[in-house]
Amino acid sequence: MLNISEIRKQFPILSRKVNKTDLVYFDNGATTQKPQTVIDAVNNYYKDENSNVHRGVHFLSGLATDKFEETRDAIQQFIGAKHKHEIIFTKGTTDAINLVANGFRSLLNKGDEVIISELEHHSNIVPWQMCCDFTGATLKVIPLLDDGSLDMITFKKLLSENTKLVSVAHVSNALGTINPIEEIISNAHKVGAKVMIDGAQAASHIPLDMQKLGADLYCFSAHKMYGPTGVGVLYGTDKMLNALPPYQGGGEMIKEVSFEKTTYACLPHKFEAGTPNIAGVIAFKNAIEFITGLGVENIAKYEDELLQYATAEILKIEGVKIYGTAKHKSGIISFNIEGLHPYDIGMIVDKMGVAIRTGHHCTQPIMNKFNVPGTARISVAVYNTKEEIDVCINAINKAKMMLS
Amino acid sequence: MLNISEIRKQFPILSRKVNKTDLVYFDNGATTQKPQTVIDAVNNYYKDENSNVHRGVHFLSGLATDKFEETRDAIQQFIGAKHKHEIIFTKGTTDAINLVANGFRSLLNKGDEVIISELEHHSNIVPWQMCCDFTGATLKVIPLLDDGSLDMITFKKLLSENTKLVSVAHVSNALGTINPIEEIISNAHKVGAKVMIDGAQAASHIPLDMQKLGADLYCFSAHKMYGPTGVGVLYGTDKMLNALPPYQGGGEMIKEVSFEKTTYACLPHKFEAGTPNIAGVIAFKNAIEFITGLGVENIAKYEDELLQYATAEILKIEGVKIYGTAKHKSGIISFNIEGLHPYDIGMIVDKMGVAIRTGHHCTQPIMNKFNVPGTARISVAVYNTKEEIDVCINAINKAKMMLS
Amino acid sequence: METIQDIQGEIIEDFGMFDDWMQKYEYLIDLGKELAPIDKKHKTEDNLIKGCQSRVWLHAEHIDGKIIYTADSDAIMTKGIIAILISVLSGQTPASITDAKLDFINEIGLKEQLSPTRANGLVSMIKQMKIYALAYNN
Amino acid sequence: METIQDIQGEIIEDFGMFDDWMQKYEYLIDLGKELAPIDKKHKTEDNLIKGCQSRVWLHAEHIDGKIIYTADSDAIMTKGIIAILISVLSGQTPASITDAKLDFINEIGLKEQLSPTRANGLVSMIKQMKIYALAYNN
Ligand SMILES: Cc1ncc(COP(=O)(O)O)c(C=O)c1O
Ligand SMILES: Cc1ncc(COP(=O)(O)O)c(C=O)c1O
C-alpha cells in the first residue's frame, strides 16, 4: 500500500495555491510534477558538477560523464533492455519518433506500408506522413471502435508482407486506452514488420520489460514520468538501431571527420550528436528511482483505483459523456457535458484551483472520429487522491451550473 | 569596470574544491558555469510553475507559457531580431544546424554549392556533408591560413552563382579566431547565397545585432552562455524560415492533422514540435539578464585582457606552440608543448584543480591541418581571473617537469 | 455615439462592482448569451479565426463611415469577451478603431485571457478587427 | 610464473607506498617510459584501439600456451597504465586471462582512469586483451 500523503510531501508544487485555493493538478498526461529529489539533482548538478560530458579529462567532466551514464544504466534496468547502448537520449518522445521516422526514409520504398492507428498523438502521425510522402510508402490506419479501443480485426487484415513498420501508442493520451501491444507486436513480427511503440503515456504507469515485450523500438518522455523537461529516451534493439542511419550530424556522433569522408561512432553515440541536456538526463535517474521506489505495479494499482472512482463520479453528472470506455484503460478520462464547451469548463474549474486539460490533446483524428471540437480531460498521477477527485467533480458541477 | 570578485560570488561551483584544491575552470568553450539566478530559476520553475506550455487553459499552464515566451522576447532583444517569431528554440547549436541542413535538402539541387570552412566544429561540417550527399550539391571549404584565420581571397574565388549557402562559425572553438562574418555575409549576398552563422562561441562574448549583421540564419547554445543545458536558439529571418520546410513533426507544429492532409502552423511553432525543455528555456532568460547586466562589450573587453595576459604567459613556456594567432581572437588558446601529449598535460593539471580541455575539440580538420593529434585548450569566461591564469601556468609547468 | 474612451470607462466601472471572479465570470457568461447573433451566411471558413480551443467568427461591415462588427464563438466565455470588444469598437470610425488603445483590458482583470500566449483566438480577433478598420480607412 | 592474483597483490603493495597523486603519477610516467617497445610492424591500423584522446596499439602472440602482449600509446600516462596491465596479463594462459578479475584497479586508485566512460581507450584495451585470450582459448 502506498502512503499517498507521504508521497505528496515530496512534491513541493502540490502545496502551492492557485487562485487562492489549493492546487488540484489533474493535467498529468501533459506533464507530471517533480519530486524534491529530482529538483535537488538538477540543483546539485549546476552547483557542484556542471561540465560537458564525454571527451573531457578533467575531474568535473569525468564526474558529469559518469553520472550521465549512470542514468543510461538506470533506464536500461528500468525497461529491461538487453544492452546499455540500446538506450538513446533524445529531447523527448517527439524527437525520438522523428529520429526513427527519418531513419526509415532510407529503409522504405514505394509499395511498402506503415501502419499507425486512429488514436495516435500527432507526434506519432505527422512524422510518418512526412516519411511516407518522402518514400512513396503508404500509411495505413487501424480504426478505432466506438469504445476507443483498436479494431484488431481490421489491424490483422491490414498486415501483409508489404508492412514494414507498425507504430502505435502503448496508451492513448486522449482516451486512456491501453492497447494490446503484445498482440500487435507478435502479429506484426509474423509478417516481418518492425514495431515501434510510443510509450509516452505508459512508462510511469505500466511495468515494462523490453526483452519480454519484444518491441523493436520504444520511446518515452522524462517530463511525463516525474522527471525533468527536455529529456526523452529512444530504446531500440541493437539490431534495429544499427540498421538505422544516423539522424543529426555533429560532435560525439562521429568516429572521424574529414572533408573527404566521415565515419560514424557506435551506439549510442551515433544518435547523440551535440551537447545533451546533461542536467536533465542526470536528474532523470532520480525520477526513475522515485518510480521504482514505489514500484510501478503499485502505482498502476493505485491509479486504477483513482480511475474507477473518478469514472463513477463523473458519470453521475447529468448529460456527461465519457470518450474512451475500453476494458483496459489507464488513468485518463476524456469527457464532455451536453451543451457545454470544454474550454468554458476548463476556464471555470481553473478558478477553483483545478487544473484539467481541454482541447484536442494533439489527437485531432480522435476528435473527428467522435465529432467533437475537443474534450475535457482528467489524467491522474500517483500523488492524486480521491479527495482531489471530489474537489474536481464539485468544480465541474459548479461550472455546469454557471454555464447552463 | 567589472567587479570580478562580485561576479564570482554568483557562481556557486567556483568555490568548490577539486582534488583538494580550488577549482580553476578554464573549459568554458565546452560549457560555462551557471550563476545562482539561473539555478534558482530552474528550481523555482519545478517548485512553483511546472506545467506544459501552450494550449492549456489552467493557471499553471498560462504561467509557464508566459514565462516561456518571455525568454523568446528576451532573446529577440538580445540579438536585435526584427520579429519575435524569428526566434526558434532548439536543443542546442547542433540541433539548430541540423534543422537548417535538413531544410536545405529541399532547397538544393545537383550543381549547387555549399561553402563551409576548414575551422568548423563537426556540428557545422557533418550536417552539410549529409545534406550534400543527399542533394548532390557540392561542399566547398574555405582553407585556413597558418595563423588560423580564413583565407578570404580563396573564399571570394569560391563564391559563384552556384553558391546557395555559406555556413561558417563566428568564432572558432579550437583556435579562437573571430571570423570576418560581416565581410562573408556581404560577399555571399552579392552572389545571392544565404548565410548561416554558427555563433556557439560568440553569443556571450561578442555583441550581436541581427538586423545590422544581416545574416539569414544564426544559432547558439544556452549552456555556453551561462544558461542551462539542452537549450539552443535558431534565429532566422522571417523570409528564410518561411522558405524552409518543417523539420520534426508532432504536437504544436501543426495547424490541422487528418490522415488525408496535415497543415503546418506559423513561425515559430512550425519548428517547435513536441514538449520543449521548458525549465531550460525559462531559466535561459536569467542567463541573458546576467550577460546584459554586465554588458557584452564589457565582457568582451575583460576577456580580451585575460586572453592577452594568458597568451603572454603561455609563450614563456619553453617549447610551447600556440595554434591560432589571428589578429582578431576571442578568449580561446590552443597549444602544445614539444614532446608532450596534451592528454598527459590535461591529466596532471587536473590533479592541481585546473580544468582545461584536451583533444581535437570536435575539429579534426583543424588538427589535420596543423598535423597534431590534439591540443590543450584554455578558454575563458567573465568569471576567470589573472590569478587563475597564474595557477594554470604553474600547473602546466609542473606537468612539463613531471613529463620531461 | 460615445467614444471608445468613454465606453472603456463604463466597462471598467461595471467590472469594478464585482467582488470576485465568480461574479465577473457570470457577467461574461451573460454577455456571451446576449451577444447579437452573427448572420449565418457570415459564419464562413473565411471569417473563422482559429485559436487552439475555441473558434471565433468575425464579420465587419462599413456603414455610413462606421464599422459594424458581428461575431460568434463556440465557447460562451470567449463570446462574453467578444461582446465586450464589440461594445467598445463596433459603430466607431475606422480611424478611431485603428488608433484605439484597449487599456481597459488590464484594468478589468482580463489581461490573462487576452495574453498573446493564450490559445483562445481573442488576440487574433483584436488584430483582425484592426485590420478591417485599416482596410476601410484607405 | 606468478599468478595474476599474485601480481595484482604486488601492484597494490607498490601503490600502497605512495602518499599522494604526484608520486603515483610519477611512477606511472616511469612505467610508461620503461614499457618495452612494440615491434614497429605491429603498430598498424588494425592493432589500433581508438580512444578519443590517446591512441593505443595492442598486439598479442601465442607462445608456448601463453599470451604475450606488447603495446604502445602516444600518451605517456596511458602507456604507464598499459605497462601495469601487461605486467599482470602478459605471459599468462588464455584461460587465466579470460577469467581474470582485475580488482587491483579499484584499490590502486586508477578506477577513474579505467572507468568505461573515460575517453582514453584503456577500457577498450582490456576488452581487446580478453578477446585475444578468448580467441586463443579455443
Ligand atoms: C563553434 C561550435 N559550434 C557548434 C558547437 C556545438 O554546440 P552544442 O554541442 O551545444 O550543440 C560547439 C560546441 O562545442 C562549438 O564550439
Ligand atoms: C501518446 C503521446 N505521444 C507523444 C507525445 C509527445 O511527447 P513530447 O511532447 O514529450 O515529445 C505525448 C505527449 O503529449 C503523448 O501523450
Side-chain angles (χ1 to χ4, degrees):
Chain A
M1 272 277 296
L2 300 174
N3 182 335
I4 305 302
S5 71
E6 281 306 312
I7 291 173
R8 289 181 68 82
K9 283 187 200 146
Q10 299 178 42
F11 290 79
I13 206 171
L14 294 182
S15 51
R16 80 157 280 165
K17 302 271 172 189
V18 158
N19 297 320
K20 291 185 197 132
T21 54
D22 291 333
L23 169 65
V24 171
Y25 187 79
F26 277 123
D27 193 16
N28 297 291
T31 201
T32 59
Q33 299 304 336
K34 323 300 174 199
Q36 191 66 50
T37 51
V38 168
I39 303 173
D40 287 345
V42 176
N43 212 30
N44 291 341
Y45 170 74
Y46 285 130
K47 280 202 156 125
D48 224 36
E49 304 159 354
N50 175 60
S51 180
N52 213 323
V53 289
H54 305 294
R55 297 178 184 280
V57 304
H58 59 77
F59 177 84
L60 286 180
S61 174
L63 181 64
T65 306
D66 285 346
K67 296 198 84 174
F68 186 89
E69 292 300 326
E70 275 170 26
T71 301
R72 209 189 299 275
D73 292 328
I75 308 262
Q76 182 197 344
Q77 253 198 313
F78 180 65
I79 65 171
K82 193 165 178 192
H83 304 290
K84 180 177 165 163
H85 62 256
E86 294 175 330
I87 309 299
I88 312 289
F89 288 116
T90 68
K91 190 156 91 173
T93 301
T94 303
D95 193 24
I97 298 174
N98 277 278
L99 186 165
V100 173
N102 184 76
F104 266 88
R105 289 186 181 194
S106 12
L107 303 182
L108 296 181
N109 295 302
K110 213 176 147 78
D112 288 343
E113 292 173 2
V114 174
I115 298 180
I116 60 174
S117 91
E118 197 172 358
L119 61 60
E120 300 308 315
H121 188 279
H122 294 163
S123 292
N124 199 25
I125 300 175
V126 185
W128 299 113
Q129 289 181 322
M130 293 163 81
C131 174
C132 288
D133 263 6
F134 182 85
T135 55
T138 308
L139 193 63
K140 301 262 171 176
V141 182
I142 312 170
L144 272 180
L145 300 175
D146 287 342
D147 68 351
S149 66
L150 295 182
D151 176 351
M152 291 296 286
I153 294 169
T154 304
F155 166 61
K156 284 168 201 167
K157 287 188 194 145
L158 289 176
L159 282 173
S160 77
E161 57 190 15
N162 295 328
T163 313
K164 289 295 175 297
L165 182 82
V166 178
S167 186
V168 294
H170 195 161
V171 172
S172 157
N173 67 304
L175 304 172
T177 317
I178 301 176
N179 290 320
I181 57 169
E182 296 80 359
E183 195 183 340
I184 290 173
I185 293 168
S186 69
N187 279 282
H189 281 174
K190 269 184 214 149
V191 299
K194 303 290 181 191
V195 181
M196 166 147 203
I197 303 293
D198 168 359
Q201 295 294 339
S204 64
H205 304 281
I206 297 177
L208 295 176
D209 182 338
M210 288 305 131
Q211 289 179 74
K212 244 201 222 146
L213 192 59
D216 302 283
L217 298 147
Y218 194 104
C219 62
F220 46 90
S221 299
H223 73 93
K224 292 185 198 284
M225 37 198 302
Y226 313 105
T229 58
V231 178
V233 165
L234 170 64
Y235 156 84
T237 59
D238 182 279
K239 200 175 151 204
M240 182 76 245
L241 291 177
N242 276 317
L244 291 174
Y247 179 43
Q248 298 194 322
E252 201 63 41
M253 59 71 75
I254 53 91
K255 202 192 254 160
E256 271 193 289
V257 171
S258 72
F259 295 116
E260 293 73 40
K261 189 165 179 288
T262 288
T263 51
Y264 300 116
C266 311
L267 294 174
H269 304 295
K270 172 179 160 190
F271 292 113
E272 292 183 357
T275 303
N277 182 353
I278 307 171
V281 168
I282 288 177
F284 189 18
K285 175 156 173 271
N286 300 76
I288 299 292
E289 285 168 354
F290 170 77
I291 295 167
T292 52
L294 301 180
V296 188
E297 285 87 356
N298 297 328
I299 294 175
K301 197 163 154 253
Y302 177 67
E303 288 178 354
D304 191 57
E305 268 175 47
L306 292 178
L307 170 70
Q308 302 309 334
Y309 181 74
T311 304
E313 291 300 310
I314 286 177
L315 285 175
K316 291 182 189 159
I317 301 170
E318 213 191 326
V320 87
K321 174 164 182 192
I322 290 180
Y323 304 91
T325 51
K327 213 168 110 200
H328 296 288
K329 270 194 69 172
S330 187
I332 290 171
I333 306 173
S334 252
F335 65 94
N336 272 327
I337 298 172
E338 214 185 322
L340 306 189
H341 194 285
Y343 176 78
D344 290 322
I345 298 174
M347 290 281 290
I348 295 177
V349 301
D350 172 55
K351 285 289 181 192
M352 292 176 267
V354 177
I356 62 173
R357 183 129 303 223
T358 61
H360 56 56
H361 318 295
C362 292
T363 57
Q364 288 181 356
I366 297 182
M367 301 301 122
N368 296 344
K369 148 99 189 158
F370 290 110
N371 200 19
V372 289
T375 69
R377 182 189 74 180
I378 292 170
S379 50
V380 306
V382 70
Y383 43 66
N384 288 126
T385 64
K386 288 188 186 166
E387 291 72 39
E388 286 184 311
I389 291 171
D390 292 339
V391 172
C392 177
I393 303 283
N394 276 337
I396 293 168
N397 276 320
K398 193 151 184 180
K400 189 173 173 238
M401 253 174 48
M402 285 176 69
L403 289 163
S404 303
Chain B
M1 274 276 296
L2 299 174
N3 183 335
I4 305 302
S5 72
E6 280 306 312
I7 291 172
R8 288 181 69 81
K9 281 187 202 147
Q10 299 177 43
F11 290 79
I13 206 172
L14 294 182
S15 51
R16 80 158 278 165
K17 302 273 172 189
V18 159
N19 297 319
K20 292 185 196 130
T21 54
D22 292 333
L23 169 65
V24 171
Y25 187 79
F26 278 123
D27 194 15
N28 297 290
T31 200
T32 60
Q33 299 305 336
K34 324 299 173 199
Q36 191 65 51
T37 51
V38 168
I39 302 173
D40 286 345
V42 175
N43 211 31
N44 290 342
Y45 170 73
Y46 285 130
K47 279 202 157 128
D48 223 37
E49 303 160 353
N50 175 61
S51 179
N52 213 326
V53 290
H54 305 296
R55 299 179 183 278
V57 305
H58 59 77
F59 176 84
L60 286 180
S61 174
L63 181 63
T65 305
D66 285 346
K67 296 198 85 175
F68 186 88
E69 292 300 325
E70 276 170 26
T71 300
R72 207 189 298 275
D73 292 329
I75 308 262
Q76 182 196 348
Q77 253 198 313
F78 180 65
I79 65 171
K82 193 167 178 189
H83 304 290
K84 181 177 165 164
H85 61 257
E86 294 175 331
I87 310 298
I88 312 291
F89 288 117
T90 68
K91 189 156 93 171
T93 301
T94 303
D95 193 25
I97 298 174
N98 277 279
L99 186 163
V100 173
N102 183 77
F104 267 88
R105 290 187 180 192
S106 16
L107 302 182
L108 296 181
N109 295 302
K110 214 176 146 77
D112 288 342
E113 292 172 4
V114 174
I115 298 179
I116 60 174
S117 91
E118 198 172 357
L119 61 59
E120 300 310 315
H121 188 280
H122 294 163
S123 292
N124 199 26
I125 299 175
V126 185
W128 299 112
Q129 290 181 320
M130 292 163 81
C131 174
C132 288
D133 264 5
F134 182 85
T135 56
T138 307
L139 192 63
K140 302 262 172 176
V141 182
I142 312 170
L144 271 181
L145 299 175
D146 287 343
D147 69 351
S149 66
L150 294 182
D151 176 352
M152 290 296 286
I153 294 168
T154 304
F155 166 60
K156 284 167 200 166
K157 286 186 194 147
L158 289 177
L159 282 173
S160 78
E161 58 189 13
N162 295 329
T163 314
K164 288 297 173 297
L165 181 81
V166 178
S167 186
V168 294
H170 195 162
V171 172
S172 157
N173 67 304
L175 303 171
T177 317
I178 301 176
N179 291 320
I181 57 168
E182 296 80 359
E183 196 184 338
I184 291 172
I185 292 168
S186 69
N187 278 283
H189 280 173
K190 269 183 212 149
V191 300
K194 302 290 179 191
V195 182
M196 165 144 204
I197 304 294
D198 168 0
Q201 294 294 337
S204 64
H205 304 283
I206 296 177
L208 295 176
D209 183 339
M210 288 303 130
Q211 288 180 76
K212 244 200 221 145
L213 192 59
D216 302 283
L217 298 148
Y218 194 103
C219 62
F220 46 89
S221 298
H223 74 92
K224 291 184 198 284
M225 39 200 300
Y226 312 106
T229 58
V231 178
V233 166
L234 170 65
Y235 156 84
T237 59
D238 182 278
K239 200 175 150 203
M240 182 76 243
L241 291 177
N242 276 317
L244 290 174
Y247 180 42
Q248 298 195 322
E252 201 60 44
M253 59 72 75
I254 53 92
K255 201 190 256 160
E256 270 193 288
V257 171
S258 73
F259 295 115
E260 293 73 40
K261 190 166 179 283
T262 288
T263 53
Y264 299 116
C266 310
L267 294 174
H269 304 294
K270 171 179 160 190
F271 292 113
E272 293 182 357
T275 304
N277 182 351
I278 307 171
V281 167
I282 288 178
F284 189 18
K285 175 155 173 271
N286 299 76
I288 299 292
E289 285 167 354
F290 170 78
I291 295 168
T292 53
L294 302 179
V296 189
E297 286 87 354
N298 298 327
I299 295 176
K301 198 163 153 252
Y302 177 68
E303 288 179 352
D304 191 57
E305 267 175 48
L306 292 178
L307 170 70
Q308 301 309 333
Y309 181 74
T311 304
E313 291 301 309
I314 286 178
L315 285 174
K316 290 182 188 159
I317 300 170
E318 214 190 325
V320 87
K321 174 165 181 189
I322 290 181
Y323 304 90
T325 52
K327 216 168 109 201
H328 295 288
K329 270 194 69 172
S330 187
I332 289 171
I333 307 174
S334 252
F335 65 94
N336 270 328
I337 298 173
E338 215 184 320
L340 306 188
H341 195 285
Y343 175 77
D344 289 323
I345 299 174
M347 289 282 290
I348 294 178
V349 302
D350 172 56
K351 283 290 181 191
M352 292 176 267
V354 178
I356 63 173
R357 184 130 302 224
T358 61
H360 57 56
H361 317 296
C362 292
T363 57
Q364 287 182 357
I366 298 182
M367 301 301 120
N368 295 344
K369 147 99 189 160
F370 290 111
N371 199 19
V372 289
T375 69
R377 183 188 74 179
I378 292 170
S379 50
V380 305
V382 70
Y383 43 67
N384 287 127
T385 64
K386 288 187 185 167
E387 292 71 38
E388 285 184 313
I389 292 171
D390 293 339
V391 173
C392 177
I393 303 283
N394 276 336
I396 294 169
N397 276 320
K398 194 148 181 183
K400 189 173 175 238
M401 253 173 48
M402 287 176 67
L403 290 164
S404 304
Chain C
M1 181 80 211
E2 289 177 292
T3 67
I4 290 180
Q5 215 44 48
D6 290 343
I7 306 172
Q8 291 199 35
E10 286 162 26
I11 293 170
I12 293 169
E13 214 170 285
D14 286 353
F15 272 81
M17 291 174 345
F18 302 132
D19 296 328
D20 59 13
W21 69 268
M22 254 230 310
Q23 294 179 357
K24 204 192 293 181
Y25 272 33
E26 274 170 348
Y27 182 62
L28 277 180
I29 292 167
D30 285 345
L31 289 177
K33 286 183 181 159
E34 288 160 15
L35 176 67
I38 192 172
D39 194 325
K40 255 206 182 137
K41 70 169 186 254
H42 296 138
K43 226 167 146 176
T44 60
E45 193 66 25
D46 269 0
N47 281 336
L48 184 60
I49 298 166
K50 275 192 187 161
C52 280
Q53 302 221 349
S54 55
R55 291 183 295 173
V56 173
W57 292 264
L58 174 69
H59 175 70
E61 270 175 77
H62 194 216
I63 300 174
D64 295 339
K66 312 239 156 102
I67 298 191
I68 308 298
Y69 295 105
T70 50
D72 196 5
S73 171
D74 51 357
I76 193 84
M77 299 273 299
T78 308
K79 240 169 121 171
I81 300 174
I82 289 174
I84 299 179
L85 290 170
I86 286 188
S87 77
V88 174
L89 296 179
S90 193
Q92 304 290 343
T93 62
S96 58
I97 293 169
T98 48
D99 293 349
K101 284 207 180 54
L102 301 175
D103 30 28
F104 76 102
I105 290 169
N106 282 332
E107 303 204 25
I108 64 175
L110 288 183
K111 199 178 145 207
E112 281 166 26
Q113 261 65 265
L114 288 160
S115 140
T117 71
R118 297 311 148 94
N120 52 14
L122 285 166
V123 172
S124 318
M125 161 145 158
I126 295 178
K127 206 190 261 171
Q128 193 57 42
M129 289 175 103
K130 293 213 167 200
I131 288 173
Y132 278 133
L134 210 61
Y136 288 124
N137 208 6
N138 296 331
Chain D
M1 182 83 212
E2 290 175 291
T3 66
I4 290 180
Q5 215 42 48
D6 291 343
I7 307 173
Q8 291 199 35
E10 286 162 27
I11 293 170
I12 293 169
E13 215 171 284
D14 285 354
F15 272 81
M17 291 173 347
F18 302 133
D19 295 329
D20 59 14
W21 69 268
M22 252 226 314
Q23 293 179 357
K24 203 190 298 181
Y25 271 33
E26 274 168 349
Y27 183 61
L28 277 180
I29 292 166
D30 285 343
L31 289 178
K33 286 181 181 160
E34 288 161 13
L35 178 66
I38 192 171
D39 195 324
K40 257 208 180 130
K41 71 170 186 255
H42 295 138
K43 226 168 145 176
T44 59
E45 192 67 25
D46 269 1
N47 281 335
L48 183 60
I49 296 165
K50 276 191 185 159
C52 280
Q53 302 220 348
S54 54
R55 292 182 296 173
V56 173
W57 291 265
L58 174 69
H59 174 71
E61 271 174 75
H62 194 214
I63 299 176
D64 295 340
K66 312 240 156 105
I67 297 191
I68 309 297
Y69 295 104
T70 49
D72 196 5
S73 171
D74 51 357
I76 193 84
M77 299 273 299
T78 308
K79 239 168 122 171
I81 300 173
I82 290 174
I84 298 180
L85 291 170
I86 285 187
S87 76
V88 175
L89 296 180
S90 194
Q92 304 289 344
T93 61
S96 56
I97 293 170
T98 47
D99 292 349
K101 282 206 181 56
L102 301 175
D103 31 27
F104 76 103
I105 290 170
N106 283 333
E107 304 206 23
I108 64 176
L110 287 181
K111 198 178 146 208
E112 282 166 25
Q113 261 65 264
L114 289 160
S115 139
T117 72
R118 295 312 146 92
N120 53 14
L122 285 166
V123 172
S124 319
M125 160 146 157
I126 296 178
K127 207 188 263 171
Q128 193 57 42
M129 289 174 104
K130 293 214 169 197
I131 289 173
Y132 278 132
L134 210 59
Y136 288 123
N137 209 6
N138 296 330

